[in-house]
Amino acid sequence: MKTRIHESTLDKKYDERKAHRLTLLFVVIAVLIVIYLALQFIIGISRVDGTSMVPTLSDSQTVVYWRQTNSYSTGDVVCVKMPSGELYVKRIVAVAGDVVELKDGVLYVNGFAEENSYANGETYEEDGLISYPYVVGRGKYFVLGDNREASVDSRSFGAVVQEQVLGKLVGVE
């Protein structure tokens, strides 16, 4: 008789461990699903590649952006998906209806010279698809890197459409 009781106790402990492992597995899977969904629909993670956002952001810096924003304004730092699939981190300097001009290394938006402390270097025209004065179209944003002399941005490829903007960076002014 003692052997049967002993076997029953061992079976019960085995079943408890098995149940605990299954519960743990389900919790891990649930957490992974929540993280995946959050990264797909709520937040995104990107990496700064190059020095185009110095001094605000540095090369190889990992950034987090908030996907749940549908309207952006001048000064926002955003993650932009290019047609090639590359992700760029840039600052919005002009929005739909704004007139952008570049004169003697200075950015003018709607006739006013840019007076922001984040801009580094002079802002000259680049060989690209646009000519100045440039009027930003509906649903588009004119984006520049903060390090103007080392940035590939809207001066080269024009304004980006809202659908290209993946989100606004968290904690970056």
Side-chain angles (χ1 to χ4, degrees):
M1 264 322 200
K2 286 186 174 181
T3 304
R4 280 202 113 130
I5 294 173
H6 181 65
E7 286 176 5
S8 176
T9 304
L10 288 177
D11 288 343
K12 193 174 188 181
K13 286 183 179 181
Y14 174 76
D15 288 343
E16 287 173 0
R17 282 191 218 141
K18 188 175 177 182
H20 177 70
R21 286 182 183 151
L22 276 175
T23 302
L24 183 61
L25 178 64
F26 286 126
V27 167
V28 168
I29 289 171
V31 167
L32 290 175
I33 290 171
V34 168
I35 290 170
Y36 173 79
L37 292 174
L39 289 172
Q40 291 298 309
F41 301 107
I42 300 170
I43 62 170
I45 299 173
S46 186
R47 189 175 142 191
V48 178
D49 186 22
T51 60
S52 71
M53 286 302 292
V54 168
T56 307
L57 301 168
S58 58
D59 183 28
S60 300
Q61 183 174 349
T62 300
V63 293
V64 175
Y65 56 91
W66 183 250
R67 293 182 187 267
Q68 296 298 310
T69 304
N70 288 330
S71 70
Y72 303 95
S73 57
T74 302
D76 289 347
V77 178
V78 294
C79 186
V80 178
K81 185 172 186 176
M82 301 306 294
S84 66
E86 289 181 283
L87 299 181
Y88 286 179
V89 175
K90 303 294 176 191
R91 186 178 301 273
I92 295 174
V93 297
V95 297
D98 286 346
V99 177
V100 176
E101 294 184 83
L102 302 177
K103 298 178 188 172
D104 300 320
V106 177
L107 169 68
Y108 290 85
V109 178
N110 298 325
F112 295 97
E114 179 182 48
E115 295 182 13
N116 296 308
S117 60
Y118 51 74
N120 184 18
E122 296 182 326
T123 311
Y124 289 105
E125 291 183 35
E126 299 285 330
D127 292 333
L129 307 171
I130 62 174
S131 58
Y132 299 94
Y134 179 84
V135 178
V136 181
R138 175 185 280 184
K140 295 185 176 184
Y141 301 99
F142 198 88
V143 297
L144 296 177
D146 287 354
N147 185 4
R148 303 293 165 76
E149 295 174 2
S151 180
V152 175
D153 47 38
S154 286
R155 294 174 291 172
S156 300
F157 50 73
V160 296
V161 295
Q162 178 150 351
E163 291 77 24
Q164 287 179 267
V165 181
L166 298 179
K168 179 179 174 181
L169 268 63
V170 176
V172 177
E173 295 299 322

